[in-house]
């Protein structure tokens, strides 16, 4: 893992230091505390390694003065919290920060090659050096994790004693000292040698990454959660842990949920009521609401009662109906539906206050330029605000996992807030013509390609699901794959034509049910955020030119004919004609991790050019 820059400083805790004696260790960007170095992740600072602490410990809570509240009522309601908090800033005025704990505790001295727990080296306070050799200690390269989200030290003692009848001996009671060295013959695991001075034969780390390597040693996951502190007891776990590199992306994957701020919540007027909404929702009638507001806020009610009633009514309208109303995925789809409706309807800036965070207007140009392409209803989103919240995290959520990693909690108890970041930008919203889309979806050739992708994706989901009979259905449909691929080629085209880096653009797809739209926006916290350049690309004449150029560019790939003739590509065969040379994007730009892509649905194939939705552009 690459160490973060050292320009700014964040606080951390040494494993020997008390909570009140904090030591500054390093710094990361605020947004990285949500996406890369969130709670439970491992972070490398210089030659040391730490795990980011949980949110509710006595010595790990975020300083409210440095982690301001942010509000997004629709997302907070979905996640069951009252508000969100930005990670503490790491600037010159920062007095506190995000707490970390040393992990892994197993360290190696490069001089004497001893492999011990950090405290057993007797390092001076505040330093990570061998007390004898005074050389910088090296954290263990290997950790173990399970699909239940637990994290633990690699069992070196069991590994080196596995052939010496160690089953009846408690770890560490052989009287010897572990040592770790590198033979230097190669960079493989075979060259990493572990030994013990008790006299057992030395062994290499070869084979330690096998799926059943620890199971064969008779070891099960201990259910440890080092990010929550040593005082938190381990929880029962039935999974078998697996060995991972400390810097592997499989050690920590965030579970992020996001929402756009749309009316009536996008002007910030309702923010002072954030902690009282559930209480207000339980009341009946205007009089009870007014009495409650007067009791809570005395005589200075921040929002007129009439507006509060209108907000409560708008929230009740968003309550999903049906048998699946309580399911999280169902409620998240309902949230997306509301965004789609608002993007279609627009929100004129002239009719709103200066505090309005969502401005969506019709272009000035003639939309007839887009009709021959099968595209309709472009909208210029001149102002938008997106809140991305860290709901939880998973471990081992990769193709080799037999089940989907369970979500690991950020704290030991339920909090009224979650870590989040807000980004402001601009974007272009585009819809496909429903009539042409319906006709294209009925094509037998299209249905056959989608079925192949859906089958591969559902097989992958079933492999990862704890209960295959209750695995969610694949979202792969003709319109979803078409919109997804079109969004990717448009982002690539704008990165070439308009000067935006692809990583600064992001897609937001609306392809569920009767929706058929996509939003491409610049939701970044840097200078590429909101300068008007992307909105200018949404004018019909310019947009028509961009779509034509993007589709024509997608006809060919530098990896053809292998790419276009591929029977399956991507993770588990969930892509068809798609690779990094044509339509794949940086991970931060794609909602679906670069799966469910097929550029043949845009421009067809050499054998069947009429397969593509935009096949008529080739004439």
């Amino acid at each position: 893992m690459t160490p973060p820059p050292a320009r700014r400083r964040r606080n951390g805790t040494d494993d020997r230091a008390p909570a009140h004696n904090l030591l500054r260790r390093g710094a990361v960007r605020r947004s990285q505390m949500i996406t890369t170095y969130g709670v439970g992740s491992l972070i490398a600072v210089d030659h040391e390694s730490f795990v980011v602490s949980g949110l509710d410990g006595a010595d790990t809570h975020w300083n409210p003065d440095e982690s301001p509240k942010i509000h997004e009522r629709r997302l907070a309601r979905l996640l069951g919290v009252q508000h969100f908090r930005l990670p503490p800033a790491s600037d010159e005025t920062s007095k506190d920060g995000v707490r970390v704990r040393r992990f892994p505790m197993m360290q190696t001295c490069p001089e004497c090659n001893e492999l011990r727990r950090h405290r057993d080296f007797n390092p001076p306070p505040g330093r990570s050096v061998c007390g004898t050799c005074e050389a910088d200690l090296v954290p263990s390269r290997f950790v173990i994790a399970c699909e239940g989200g637990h994290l633990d030290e690699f069992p070196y003692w069991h590994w080196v004693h596995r052939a010496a009848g160690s089953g009846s001996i408690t770890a560490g009671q052989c009287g010897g000292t572990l040592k770790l060295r590198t033979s230097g013959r190669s960079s493989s695991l075979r060259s990493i040698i572990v030994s013990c001075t008790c006299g057992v034969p030395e062994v290499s780390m070869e084979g330690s990454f096998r799926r059943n390597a620890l199971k064969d040693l008779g070891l099960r996951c201990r259910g440890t959660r080092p990010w929550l502190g040593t005082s938190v007891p381990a929880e029962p776990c039935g999974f078998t842990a697996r060995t991972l590199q400390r810097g592997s992306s499989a050690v920590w994957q965030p579970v992020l949920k996001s929402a756009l701020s749309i009316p009536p919540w996008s002007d910030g007027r309702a923010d002072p009521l954030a902690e009282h909404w559930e209480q207000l929702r339980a009341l009946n009638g205007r009089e009870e609401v007014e009495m409650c507001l007067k009791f809570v806020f005395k005589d200075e009610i921040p929002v007129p009662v009439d507006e509060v009633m209108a907000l409560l009514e708008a929230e009740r309208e968003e309550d999903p109906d049906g048998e699946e109303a309580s399911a999280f995925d169902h409620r998240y789809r309902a949230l997306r539906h509301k965004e789609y409706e608002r993007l279609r309807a627009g929100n004129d800036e002239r009719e709103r206050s200066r505090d309005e965070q969502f401005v969506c207007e019709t272009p000035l140009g003639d939309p007839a330029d887009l009709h021959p392409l099968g595209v309709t209803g472009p909208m210029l989103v001149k102002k938008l605000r997106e809140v991305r919240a860290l709901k939880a995290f998973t471990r081992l959520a990769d193709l080799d996992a037999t089940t989907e990693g369970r979500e690991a909690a950020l704290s030991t108890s339920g909090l009224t807030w979650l870590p989040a970041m807000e980004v402001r930008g601009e974007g272009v919203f585009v819809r496909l013509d429903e009539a042409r889309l319906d006709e294209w979806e009925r094509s037998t050739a299209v249905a056959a390609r989608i079925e192949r992708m859906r089958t591969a994706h559902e097989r992958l989901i079933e492999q990862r699901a704890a209960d295959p009979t209750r695995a969610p259905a694949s979202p792969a449909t003709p319109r979803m794959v078409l919109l997804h691929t079109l969004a990717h080629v448009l982002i690539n085209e704008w990165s070439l034509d308009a000067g935006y880096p692809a990583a600064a653009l992001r897609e937001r797809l609306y392809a569920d049910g009767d929706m058929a739209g996509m939003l491409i926006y610049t939701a970044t916290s840097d200078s590429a955020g909101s300068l008007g350049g992307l909105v200018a690309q949404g004018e019909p004449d310019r947009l028509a030119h961009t779509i034509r150029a993007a589709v024509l560019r997608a006809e060919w790939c530098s990896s053809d004919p292998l790419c276009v003739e591929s029977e399956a590509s991507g993770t588990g065969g969930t892509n068809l004609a798609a690779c990094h040379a044509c339509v794949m994007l940086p991970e931060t730009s794609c909602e679906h991790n670069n799966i469910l892509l097929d550029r043949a649905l845009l421009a067809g194939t050499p054998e069947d050019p009429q397969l593509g939705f935009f096949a008529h552009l080739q004439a």
Side-chain angles (χ1 to χ4, degrees):
M1 183 180 294
T2 304
R7 296 192 304 271
R8 305 175 187 173
R9 310 299 293 172
R10 253 189 216 284
N11 290 348
T13 57
D14 186 87
D15 64 304
R16 293 167 52 92
H20 63 273
N21 186 18
L22 301 178
L23 302 174
R24 295 180 180 271
R25 291 299 186 185
V28 296
R29 294 193 303 272
R30 210 171 208 175
S31 60
Q32 288 181 304
M33 293 305 304
I34 305 297
T35 59
T36 310
Y37 300 124
V39 172
S41 67
L42 296 182
I43 178 171
V45 183
D46 297 329
H47 61 276
E48 300 179 85
S49 176
F50 303 92
V51 60
V52 180
S53 297
L55 298 176
D56 63 348
D59 62 339
T60 62
H61 66 280
W62 291 2
N63 188 338
D65 296 333
E66 298 182 12
S67 48
K69 292 181 182 180
I70 57 176
H71 300 281
E72 169 43 52
R73 173 57 188 167
R74 297 166 63 247
L75 185 61
R77 182 185 174 200
L78 176 73
L79 299 177
V81 296
Q82 294 178 357
H83 60 270
F84 303 98
R85 285 193 180 275
L86 291 172
S90 57
D91 53 27
E92 299 299 331
T93 63
S94 176
K95 298 180 181 179
D96 207 339
V98 175
R99 311 293 173 82
V100 297
R101 303 174 186 275
R102 190 179 301 281
F103 189 88
M105 297 299 294
M106 295 298 292
Q107 311 264 317
T108 306
C109 173
E111 296 292 335
C112 60
N113 293 328
E114 289 190 358
L115 176 64
R116 300 173 177 264
R117 293 182 66 83
H118 182 270
R119 63 173 177 265
D120 294 337
F121 282 100
N122 295 317
R127 300 184 62 192
S128 182
V129 298
C130 177
T132 302
C133 307
E134 296 188 355
D136 289 337
L137 297 177
V138 179
S140 168
R141 287 175 53 186
F142 310 106
V143 296
I144 62 175
C146 79
E147 295 160 23
H150 303 124
L151 185 68
D152 206 348
E153 307 275 353
F154 181 82
Y156 287 102
W157 191 91
H158 292 86
W159 184 253
V160 74
H161 290 83
R162 64 183 186 271
S166 60
S168 59
I169 305 176
T170 304
Q173 298 302 310
C174 64
T177 300
L178 293 176
K179 293 197 172 187
L180 185 145
R181 61 181 178 84
T182 303
S183 67
R185 297 178 181 177
S186 69
S187 59
S188 66
L189 293 174
R190 184 179 299 178
S191 295
I192 302 176
I193 308 300
V194 184
S195 61
C196 181
T197 57
C198 71
V200 296
E202 63 180 20
V203 298
S204 74
M205 291 295 293
E206 185 177 22
S208 59
F209 280 73
R210 290 188 300 109
R211 179 183 297 278
N212 294 323
L214 301 181
K215 184 178 180 180
D216 293 342
L217 295 180
L219 300 178
R220 303 287 289 179
C221 177
R222 299 191 302 167
T224 55
R225 297 172 289 176
W227 66 96
L228 298 179
T230 55
S231 62
V232 177
E235 61 180 0
C237 181
F239 292 104
T240 298
R242 289 174 51 192
T243 306
L244 295 171
Q245 289 269 14
R246 173 165 49 88
S248 169
S249 60
V251 172
W252 188 85
Q253 302 90 23
V255 179
L256 298 173
K257 297 299 177 183
S258 67
L260 300 181
S261 295
I262 61 173
W265 310 97
S266 53
D267 58 6
R269 289 173 58 82
D271 292 351
L273 304 177
E275 298 179 4
H276 308 286
W277 277 117
E278 295 306 320
Q279 181 181 359
L280 293 171
R281 278 175 56 87
L283 300 177
N284 296 317
R286 188 181 189 280
E287 292 184 0
E288 291 188 9
V289 170
E290 185 173 5
M291 290 178 60
C292 178
L293 291 174
K294 288 181 178 180
F295 177 79
V296 173
F297 297 101
K298 308 306 179 186
D299 295 329
E300 298 181 2
I301 301 177
V303 183
V305 178
D306 290 339
E307 289 190 23
V308 175
M309 297 303 297
L311 290 170
L312 289 172
E313 182 60 29
E315 186 169 276
R316 292 188 181 100
E317 291 178 359
E318 295 190 20
D319 291 337
D321 300 323
E323 297 179 357
E324 298 180 348
S326 61
F328 181 87
D329 291 341
H330 187 82
R331 291 184 288 124
Y332 194 55
R333 289 195 298 268
L335 180 146
R336 287 295 186 97
H337 272 276
K338 282 295 180 181
E339 292 180 2
Y340 182 73
E341 293 173 6
R342 177 51 68 176
L343 287 166
R344 290 188 61 177
N347 194 41
D348 198 316
E349 185 175 19
R350 292 168 295 183
E351 302 175 1
R352 302 293 172 179
S353 69
R354 295 180 60 183
D355 296 328
E356 179 60 48
Q357 299 167 339
F358 180 82
V359 175
C360 181
E361 299 178 350
T362 305
L364 298 176
D366 186 2
D369 294 340
L370 293 168
H371 293 169
L373 304 179
V375 175
T376 186
M379 299 293 287
L380 307 182
V381 187
K382 296 183 178 180
K383 288 176 64 177
L384 67 82
R385 172 180 179 264
E386 181 192 24
V387 175
R388 301 175 193 162
L390 177 62
K391 177 176 179 281
F393 64 89
T394 62
R395 304 196 194 276
L396 289 175
D398 61 357
L399 180 61
D400 296 330
T402 57
T403 64
E404 185 179 18
R406 296 185 303 177
E407 293 184 359
L410 307 181
S411 62
T412 55
S413 59
L415 296 176
T416 59
W417 60 276
L418 286 173
M421 58 180 289
E422 60 177 353
V423 287
R424 302 172 189 270
E426 59 183 353
V428 176
F429 175 68
V430 176
R431 290 186 294 124
L432 298 182
D433 181 80
E434 288 285 352
R436 180 176 294 184
L437 183 60
D438 290 341
E439 180 183 356
W440 175 81
E441 287 179 314
R442 290 194 292 269
S443 168
T444 303
V446 169
R449 291 184 73 88
I450 295 299
E451 184 60 30
R452 287 161 55 189
M453 300 172 70
R454 184 190 298 112
T455 300
H457 193 211
E458 289 182 344
R459 181 170 58 248
L460 183 64
I461 293 174
E462 290 176 1
Q463 289 175 354
R464 296 179 175 180
D467 183 1
T469 61
R470 303 182 62 182
S474 169
T477 62
R479 69 175 58 198
M480 183 271 170
V481 178
L482 173 64
L483 284 165
H484 192 198
T485 311
L486 178 61
H488 278 226
V489 299
L490 281 178
I491 288 175
N492 280 329
E493 192 67 25
W494 276 329
S495 70
L496 296 172
D497 185 52
Y500 284 95
L505 301 178
R506 186 175 175 89
E507 67 180 6
R508 195 169 182 87
L509 304 180
Y510 301 92
D512 184 55
D514 58 352
M515 297 189 294
M518 61 181 177
L519 173 67
I520 298 177
Y521 59 107
T522 62
T524 63
S525 56
D526 59 15
S527 59
S530 181
L531 300 176
L534 186 59
V535 166
Q537 306 300 317
E539 288 294 337
D541 56 342
R542 189 183 294 268
L543 181 59
H545 172 76
T546 302
I547 292 176
R548 290 177 185 274
V551 172
L552 292 177
R553 193 185 302 276
E555 288 184 17
W556 296 100
C557 169
S558 59
S559 296
D560 281 340
L562 295 178
C563 179
V564 73
E565 294 179 357
S566 173
E567 293 295 324
S569 66
T571 304
T574 50
N575 289 336
L576 290 181
C579 69
H580 286 284
C582 52
V583 300
M584 287 189 176
L585 292 176
E587 291 182 2
T588 55
S589 300
C590 179
E591 279 196 310
H592 295 280
N593 299 317
N594 277 322
I595 66 171
L596 304 180
L597 293 166
D598 183 13
R599 60 187 173 89
L601 299 185
L602 297 177
T605 64
E607 295 78 16
D608 186 6
Q610 298 305 310
L611 175 70
F613 182 83
F614 299 99
H616 56 287
L617 299 183
Q618 302 176 27

